[in-house]
Amino acid sequence: MVKKIDRFVDPIVLVSPQPGVYWTPNGHHRLKALQKLKADWVPAIVIPETEVAFQILALNTEKAHNLKEKSLEVIRMYRGLLEAEPRKGEQDYAFQFEAAHLITLGLLYEANKRFAGGAFAPILRRVDAFLPGTFAKTLPQREARAEAVRAADEALGRVVAELKKRGIRHPFVKNYVLARTTPLSRARKTLPSFDATFEKLLAAIEAFDVAAVRYQDVQRSALMAIPAAE
């Protein structure tokens, strides 16, 4: 719209936690776009109550279009709260974060915007939980969890590369391997801990028998994963 009409008609929202410092709980992408266009100024609505920023960020999380955007909004909120609410923690803002695994995925997407979060989300959703303690205490634990997922993803990438060498190229191949290496069964009521889950997952991925996979197996699994039309 900016390029089409040479005007910016949608103001961003700002809060100011201290003089000369401004946060953008709503309008971050628009601000980045204007910075790329080298805009001289940006119309903004300044809200005096700093705490409103996190309520707005929570609304942004609800309306985020995909898992990556939602996770990045959550980790952005997390980092803001780390400074603004040092005595609070994840459990105090569970409603605003919506789901614990979005924090872990947010860290992964920060480091790699192309991270395959959708492949790991079903596992994370079941074993990742809000951690007790202040944000300063839980952030290192979150980073350790993100590292465990990253290690599993790297191992998964090596398996996928081996499958490609065998001519098995399919967009569902990561999900196929994860479905056959996950330590979580659908019927399982008592779930292992996060750490135990990813230790077992990593070991299973590293032991995965690439030679036993056929293209039609992956293709059939992909078709079965497609939800039926209503």
Side-chain angles (χ1 to χ4, degrees), residues 171-189:
F172 193 74
V173 70
K174 274 194 171 185
N175 303 71
Y176 176 87
V177 175
L178 280 177
R180 280 147 187 80
T181 53
T182 177
L184 308 179
S185 64
R186 290 185 179 181
R188 188 167 184 169
K189 294 182 179 180

Side-chain angles (χ1 to χ4, degrees), residues 88-158:
K88 300 286 187 177
E90 293 182 9
Q91 294 178 340
D92 297 305
Y93 282 86
F95 173 77
Q96 286 85 348
F97 291 145
E98 188 177 317
H101 72 283
L102 296 177
I103 306 171
T104 304
L105 285 174
L107 289 167
L108 290 158
Y109 280 122
E110 274 187 333
N112 178 12
K113 295 296 189 295
R114 300 183 66 183
F115 180 76
F120 286 94
I123 298 174
L124 286 168
R125 193 179 293 116
R126 296 181 68 187
V127 298
D128 209 352
F130 292 113
L131 301 171
T134 63
F135 289 114
K137 177 185 176 182
T138 57
L139 180 57
Q141 297 175 54
R142 278 286 157 206
E143 291 170 337
R145 290 191 171 195
E147 186 56 40
V149 180
R150 187 180 294 110
D153 183 58
E154 289 175 355
L156 182 60
R158 292 191 291 271

Side-chain angles (χ1 to χ4, degrees), residues 27-141:
H28 183 70
H29 292 104
R30 281 167 280 162
L31 178 60
K32 289 294 183 183
L34 287 169
Q35 288 173 339
K36 287 183 178 180
L37 292 171
K38 298 181 179 179
D40 294 324
W41 58 278
V42 180
I45 299 172
V46 181
I47 298 177
E49 299 90 358
T50 306
E51 63 273 13
V52 174
F54 302 107
Q55 297 174 18
I56 295 172
L57 279 170
L59 292 173
N60 286 348
T61 301
E62 288 180 6
K63 69 181 182 182
H65 297 299
N66 56 48
L67 181 65
K68 180 172 75 172
E69 288 184 7
K70 184 172 287 192
S71 300
L72 287 170
E73 287 287 358
V74 166
I75 195 60
R76 188 164 159 243
M77 192 191 320
Y78 193 104
R79 293 196 184 283
L81 287 165
L82 179 65
E83 295 183 8
E85 297 284 356
R87 296 183 180 181
K88 300 286 187 177
E90 293 182 9
Q91 294 178 340
D92 297 305
Y93 282 86
F95 173 77
Q96 286 85 348
F97 291 145
E98 188 177 317
H101 72 283
L102 296 177
I103 306 171
T104 304
L105 285 174
L107 289 167
L108 290 158
Y109 280 122
E110 274 187 333
N112 178 12
K113 295 296 189 295
R114 300 183 66 183
F115 180 76
F120 286 94
I123 298 174
L124 286 168
R125 193 179 293 116
R126 296 181 68 187
V127 298
D128 209 352
F130 292 113
L131 301 171
T134 63
F135 289 114
K137 177 185 176 182
T138 57
L139 180 57
Q141 297 175 54

